[in-house]
Amino acid sequence: HGWTVVGHENSVMYSGSTTGTSHNNEVCSPYVITWHVDTACHRVSPEAFDNLCRQMDEKYKLVDDLYPHGSRILVDPEWVVKAEYVLPLA
């Protein structure tokens, strides 16, 4: 797909739950997941992003992820993880 970022020196891990419009501050997802996030900013060319979308469609058949769709409303600050629980990626 043209994204060549390697190494995880600047990555952190967040634990949480799945996203989606059916989950909010009243109804939590029953699934616990983690996100691995690189804290550095990386440029992605339009061509590389187009290629990623093409692979998602043709190679992985992820058609439902190729169009804009809703996301969960922002979580109430009461439920946001404290900074000391954000862990470096091992």
Side-chain angles (χ1 to χ4, degrees):
H1 46 65
W3 298 8
T4 58
V5 177
V6 294
H8 300 288
E9 301 81 26
N10 296 317
S11 295
V12 294
M13 180 175 60
Y14 294 93
S15 61
S17 63
T18 58
T19 60
T21 55
S22 61
H23 304 107
N24 56 37
N25 289 317
E26 301 295 324
V27 178
C28 295
S29 168
Y31 304 105
V32 177
I33 63 169
T34 59
W35 285 275
H36 301 112
V37 179
D38 190 333
T39 59
C41 183
H42 300 277
R43 289 181 177 253
V44 177
S45 72
E47 296 82 9
F49 200 84
D50 285 346
N51 191 37
L52 172 66
C53 291
R54 188 176 308 101
Q55 286 185 14
M56 289 172 64
D57 180 21
E58 296 171 1
K59 186 173 182 177
Y60 300 107
K61 309 299 182 205
L62 297 172
V63 178
D64 289 343
D65 291 323
L66 294 173
Y67 66 91
H69 48 283
S71 62
R72 170 161 71 179
I73 62 169
L74 292 178
V75 174
D76 188 296
E78 174 184 3
W79 301 107
V80 175
V81 67
K82 291 180 175 70
E84 67 255 26
Y85 296 111
V86 177
L87 306 172
L89 186 58

